[in-house]
Amino acid sequence: MIDFAATRRLFHLPEGMIYLDGNSLGPLPVAAEARVAGVMRGEWGGQLIKAWNTADWINLPRRVGDRIGTLIGAPAGSVATGDTLSIKVFQALSAALAMRPERRVVLSDTGNFPSDLYIAQGLLQALGRGLELRLVAPEDVADAIDESVAVTLITEVDYRTGRMHDMAALTAKAHAAGAIAVWDLAHSAGAIPVDLTAADADFAVGCTYKYLNGGPGAPAFIYVAPRFAESAQPILSGWMGHEAPFAFDLDYRPHASVERMRVGTPPVLALAVLDAALDAWEGVDMADIRVQSTRLSERFIAEVEARCPDLDLASPRDPHARGSQVSFRHPQGYAIMQALIANGVVGDFRAPDLIRFGFTPLYLSEDEVVDAARILERVMTERLWDDPAYATRSAVT
Amino acid sequence: MIDFAATRRLFHLPEGMIYLDGNSLGPLPVAAEARVAGVMRGEWGGQLIKAWNTADWINLPRRVGDRIGTLIGAPAGSVATGDTLSIKVFQALSAALAMRPERRVVLSDTGNFPSDLYIAQGLLQALGRGLELRLVAPEDVADAIDESVAVTLITEVDYRTGRMHDMAALTAKAHAAGAIAVWDLAHSAGAIPVDLTAADADFAVGCTYKYLNGGPGAPAFIYVAPRFAESAQPILSGWMGHEAPFAFDLDYRPHASVERMRVGTPPVLALAVLDAALDAWEGVDMADIRVQSTRLSERFIAEVEARCPDLDLASPRDPHARGSQVSFRHPQGYAIMQALIANGVVGDFRAPDLIRFGFTPLYLSEDEVVDAARILERVMTERLWDDPAYATRSAVT
């Protein structure tokens, strides 16, 4: 079993804050500070352009991709890193659509993260040819997969409720109908066990600033099933995905691997921070994380339900049916979360009425979870949220 | 006039290195180290998710964009930052093409940076509808603009030779033919005076890791002429370009400004580094930079031509016709550059036979330029390049 007291020491955690928002932005890994200082002073500062070779910056995206791969059941050489999750959704969806030129439907659900839907809308509008984004309720996805569907574009764990899709079952159903399965792992990677190989996923994408603790706006990743590594068509055909970027040919020829999903010059500093953040995952078995995450979330639900009768559980009650987060509903959810934050418990709010809490065993203890429930109880019973200061919404919560 | 001795102190420059590759990767700004340490420890580490508001991370892309705008003749609110240059080329070209749906030709030149051409190829292939990328020699662009052209996609300064296009004249010609003008400022921003407003450019894109010293893989930028701010169609319609990202609507509605060209979650650490790098440009008049840059490059050409008869000038001899870089040709160019680097003068090599040198007045002195020419003379006369160690090409030069 993991020594969670030891993994907790790998992170900077502010005194007096109980952090239940690692599902939105993970904390600063201690190792990241020294790493980025070294990259700046020693590599960029000391070697300048030569560091692309001497510090092997050029292969950093691949090395980081392989490390992420170990957490999501992806073999070495099947994960590329860089850009943002929205860009990676665009790449995966475009490549998947190109594999089913005779079909017209992209199937997704109303619980998908809006940016995935927006990106699909922008791509489909640009491509024309009668393509359609079909949205169904999350629980209706399986039934909606039929032979009209070109691509299923599904986020495994619902960002609002934590409700989890069955990746292996939906992928099998998509394949049986002749569709390509694209999975978004934004709330999965580092949160729950994922096995892309066993699930037979075609493409997967994800971000690294949540459970992987890569920092605000950290680089994203994309997985391409090895069977498609030499055929997936990159719409964002930038020079770093070229077979020979430094030949400076006038014609694009994609690299014969997942590297074709690289686009522009890699964000070296951000990748170095992410690389340092991944140190905390060395030797960690996601099955152990899952056991502890379930323990934490079950305890939190039990404590909150016993203490706060006005809050309604919005997440699946069955822990096997949810990821590593729990949400409750209340009409005053926004003000409640603001009051909770002011009292040292940081979760977040999602419109219209959800207060949301993430469970991250690497640095969150069961005692903190109980304390958070106690403070939430006080916010509710003393109506601390009923303060005009908490009525105005700020840009990000 | 600028106090260049003072601006030089704003950068870390390794002892014993003459750096003539700021056109590829600018040096580490001293201010960037403290800035990134503060963002990591104080903001990310100390405030976690709250820093999106408390440290105003959410508006960082716009603030940095406005600072870049002052260097390229773009008004406040017309420049968005993020992603990579290749992504920004994709956005600009796609939006421009959507404005001329009845035309079929994207006009570019064989001196354009290959990634721009690759991106165009990927986009045109995906869009279909008979679109064509038409490439002509750099000097033939003006004559090739006719009423078949939907979009001109031109990099102002040639990455190999430094040859400069006349932005105002080509834009006027494009407009007279009914085409949309997209400009790539990769080798212009911070290198030469640029006035997008006076030139009446429609779109412009650029990177920030060269003359702007934003660090390896630093975020890119895109300019949208204010007349198109509310109509340019974003193909990469990510949530950060939405009118109300945190409403989490299921339908995309673009922001009524250049912000619609934002895509995913902004790379906060990299933007903070870039923001610190831009401090060095505060109060700097690009006209003064141009005078000094011309002095440096003219001196370098004169010294090299006097000392190294085997090297052929590949750049325009007229300083008004080139940017802030100079290239020479030699069949053994790769080995010559390797020998030069080993002797403390860092430039770079571009296939098949160019040795390339950038001139960056903020931190490069005329004495260094003369010393570099002397060392190059020694490499040539003593045939230092004729060493087997310099025969193998590494990934990046």
Side-chain angles (χ1 to χ4, degrees), chain B residues 198-370:
Chain B
D200 203 26
D202 298 302
F203 294 89
V205 295
C207 68
T208 65
Y209 50 78
K210 298 177 182 292
Y211 295 90
L212 298 180
N213 315 305
F221 64 86
I222 182 169
Y223 162 84
V224 177
R227 61 184 172 281
F228 296 134
E230 296 185 38
S231 62
Q233 196 173 301
I235 188 172
L236 298 171
S237 42
W239 71 314
M240 284 293 159
H242 194 279
E243 187 180 38
F246 296 95
F248 299 104
D249 293 333
L250 295 182
D251 291 315
Y252 181 73
R253 296 188 312 275
H255 197 280
S257 81
V258 72
E259 300 275 304
R260 61 179 54 197
M261 293 299 173
R262 287 176 62 172
V263 185
T265 304
V268 171
L269 302 180
L271 283 166
V273 169
L274 173 57
D275 195 32
L278 292 171
D279 290 350
W281 293 96
E282 278 296 315
V284 167
D285 186 331
M286 285 306 302
D288 292 340
I289 293 286
R290 180 64 167 163
V291 168
Q292 182 70 0
S293 152
T294 302
R295 188 196 318 271
L296 296 175
S297 63
E298 287 289 278
R299 182 74 190 268
F300 187 70
I301 291 171
E303 294 283 344
V304 171
E305 292 196 322
R307 297 165 184 274
C308 311
D310 290 349
L311 296 178
D312 294 326
L313 183 66
S315 300
R317 189 163 296 281
D318 176 4
H320 299 100
R322 60 173 195 261
S324 197
Q325 65 191 64
V326 167
S327 300
F328 290 91
R329 276 184 212 289
H330 191 285
Q332 296 297 329
Y334 179 78
I336 290 168
M337 182 50 71
Q338 294 304 103
L340 198 56
I341 291 170
N343 283 277
V345 178
V346 177
D348 60 20
F349 171 78
R350 284 294 174 263
D353 60 358
L354 291 178
I355 55 174
R356 189 175 74 154
F357 305 91
F359 299 90
T360 50
L362 286 186
Y363 54 85
L364 182 71
S365 72
E366 193 163 348
D367 286 351
E368 286 178 300
V369 164
V370 176

Side-chain angles (χ1 to χ4, degrees), chain A residues 23 108-113 136-144 154-167 169-170 183-188 191-192 211 290 297 301 313-329 354 356-357:
Chain A
N23 53 315
S108 191
D109 69 73
T110 55
N112 202 345
F113 188 68
V136 298
E139 56 273 19
D140 296 336
V141 168
D143 287 345
I154 308 287
T155 296
E156 187 184 20
V157 177
D158 189 305
Y159 76 106
R160 303 161 310 169
T161 63
R163 179 189 183 283
M164 199 161 60
H165 282 293
D166 184 334
M167 185 189 290
L170 288 184
W183 287 97
D184 180 338
L185 306 178
H187 296 269
S188 306
I192 58 173
Y211 295 90
R290 181 64 168 165
S297 63
I301 292 171
L313 183 67
S315 299
R317 187 164 296 279
D318 175 4
H320 299 100
R322 62 174 194 261
S324 197
Q325 64 189 65
V326 167
S327 300
F328 289 91
R329 278 185 211 290
L354 290 179
R356 191 176 72 155
F357 305 91

